[in-house]
Amino acid sequence: MSIQVKALSKRIDNREILRGITFTWQPGRIVGLVGRNGVGKTTLFRTMADHYLADEGELVIEGQSTLQQPYCRQKLFYIDTQRHFFGGRRLRQIITTYALAYDDFDQSQLTALLAAEHLSTKSYYQRLSKGQQMLFQILLALASHVPYIILDEPFDGLDIIVRERIVAYMVEEVAEHGVSFLISSHNLDELDGLCDQVLFLQHHELVADYDLESLRATARKFQLVFADKHIPAVVKEHGQLIKVYGRVLEVYFADYTPTIETALQQTQPLMMAVQPLTITDVFRVKLGDRQAVWGGV
Ligand SMILES: Nc1ncnc2c1ncn2[C@@H]1O[C@H](COP(=O)(O)OP(=O)(O)OP(=O)(O)O)[C@@H](O)[C@H]1O
């Protein structure tokens, strides 16, 4: 049970946008898709949702290929935030359309959720604030009772309170109903603490697919201060430098073993403090140039 995206490629106006995108999206997971503006995140979502025809590749949704069984896309929910029909409509009109489109749509659940957010179904979508529009889209997705939900830049431009409301809804859906989310962002920090897996899109391709749970099980990040300027061999050999603040070195160990722990203790650092590992750290060390980093110290 999963969605497998297999070798998806897309050209627009004879320009390559996506090349051979392949990844697995497991149920009950929050997957982050990260990449700079214009790299192709929305194009990937539109291609997955069949708003754009893929030039190559397919999706296999819980064992069914979208090429042979296009209807299996019913398990996938995606609202194109740039091109949708919501603008001049009241929320209740949008809800009626979605209730027709999704077999398991729960209107009474949605009415209760909207009331809890002080959103009236009589309101016009375009008169809602940006945060209210995103909340409405997410509640619409939840009421559709679809196991795989794609959200394009759900936190873009939202204040911290709305962001936390949206995160709370997502985390609850994952925990209680095993719903899966694929969310895009051009800002790694936005996804910190939320994603189980992160995909990185660069130059038309997925250049990284990290399972953060297993990375965090073996990796450690420390702030270290040593008595002299000489960096101990164990750090140079097994660690990757993330940052330097004066004499404080922030070092990432991808595979932190008891042997490394003992060797590190033997160097008698003046300070050795474990730090939480962020997605930004993982990307910096995974995609950075290790030699160049140590060379600068
Ligand atoms: N319908 C289209 N016609 C022409 N070019 C398009 C079309 N759709 C996407 N593109 C091009 O594909 C590239 C990727 O765009 P896309 O919107 O997928 O990027 P993105 O990663 O979602 O960007 P952002 O983070 O800014 O939203 C851009 O160069 C864009 O101009």
Side-chain angles (χ1 to χ4, degrees):
M1 291 295 181
S2 62
I3 290 189
Q4 289 165 281
V5 176
K6 292 188 170 178
L8 218 56
S9 296
K10 180 67 191 164
R11 299 181 75 86
I12 298 177
D13 292 342
N14 230 9
R15 205 158 57 89
E16 184 171 50
I17 310 292
L18 301 171
R19 184 192 310 144
I21 306 292
T22 298
F23 66 94
T24 301
W25 177 11
Q26 303 281 0
R29 290 203 128 195
I30 302 181
V31 180
L33 174 68
V34 181
R36 301 192 58 180
N37 288 126
V39 76
K41 301 181 295 294
T42 303
T43 304
L44 175 59
F45 292 161
R46 287 177 179 157
T47 312
M48 287 174 70
D50 209 26
H51 298 191
Y52 286 165
L53 276 181
D55 295 316
E56 284 166 45
E58 63 175 338
L59 261 69
V60 177
I61 302 180
E62 299 193 341
Q64 292 182 309
S65 166
T66 49
L67 295 177
Q68 279 101 46
Q69 312 270 356
Y71 189 73
C72 68
R73 276 206 178 78
Q74 267 264 333
K75 294 199 168 80
L76 187 65
F77 185 99
Y78 169 59
I79 293 175
D80 193 322
T81 47
Q82 291 159 43
R83 295 181 199 159
H84 53 58
F85 65 92
F86 297 178
R89 289 184 167 75
R90 292 180 196 269
L91 301 192
R92 66 169 176 232
Q93 293 172 295
I94 301 167
I95 293 167
T96 306
T97 309
Y98 273 77
L100 290 173
Y102 288 93
D103 296 344
D104 297 327
F105 196 90
D106 188 341
Q107 288 210 48
S108 51
Q109 179 199 11
L110 181 54
T111 308
L113 289 171
L114 289 172
E117 296 297 339
H118 309 291
L119 290 172
S120 164
T121 54
K122 291 182 196 154
S123 303
Y124 284 97
Y125 179 84
Q126 65 190 15
R127 293 193 193 157
L128 301 182
S129 72
K130 196 170 180 180
Q132 288 172 322
Q133 288 180 352
M134 187 44 77
L135 262 173
F136 173 68
Q137 290 188 25
I138 288 181
L139 299 182
L140 203 55
L142 302 189
S144 299
H145 287 279
V146 166
Y148 299 94
I149 297 173
I150 294 177
L151 300 173
D152 199 351
E153 299 272 2
F155 308 122
D156 194 26
L158 303 191
D159 68 35
I160 186 74
I161 306 290
V162 182
R163 182 193 187 275
E164 283 179 2
R165 298 288 308 138
I166 290 173
V167 167
Y169 278 118
M170 289 170 65
V171 170
E172 192 181 319
E173 276 307 293
V174 170
E176 298 209 348
H177 303 111
V179 169
S180 319
F181 291 89
L182 173 59
I183 58 180
S184 66
S185 177
H186 53 268
N187 182 356
L188 279 179
D189 296 336
E190 274 184 355
L191 302 181
D192 238 330
L194 181 63
C195 296
D196 308 296
Q197 181 183 354
V198 186
L199 310 169
F200 189 56
L201 193 58
Q202 191 181 40
H203 307 311
H204 320 296
E205 291 182 301
L206 270 191
V207 294
D209 178 350
Y210 299 139
D211 180 334
L212 295 174
E213 212 172 304
S214 57
L215 270 174
R216 286 196 170 111
T218 56
R220 290 285 182 287
K221 182 173 103 178
F222 290 101
Q223 284 191 343
L224 297 165
V225 176
F226 297 101
D228 60 29
K229 280 195 153 187
H230 177 73
I231 294 170
V234 58
V235 177
K236 280 199 163 182
E237 203 177 315
H238 300 284
Q240 287 175 264
L241 188 66
I242 294 174
K243 274 186 204 151
V244 182
Y245 314 90
R247 290 184 62 193
V248 181
L249 307 180
E250 222 169 69
V251 183
Y252 171 89
F253 293 87
D255 192 10
Y256 192 71
T257 60
T259 313
I260 296 175
E261 165 91 25
T262 307
L264 207 50
Q265 296 285 5
Q266 282 170 352
T267 65
Q268 298 186 322
L270 300 176
M271 184 180 95
M272 181 173 162
V274 181
Q275 298 292 304
L277 197 61
T278 66
I279 299 179
T280 312
D281 297 332
V282 172
F283 274 85
R284 193 173 283 141
V285 294
K286 289 272 183 187
L287 300 175
D289 179 343
R290 185 185 155 92
Q291 284 305 319
V293 168
W294 283 122
V297 179

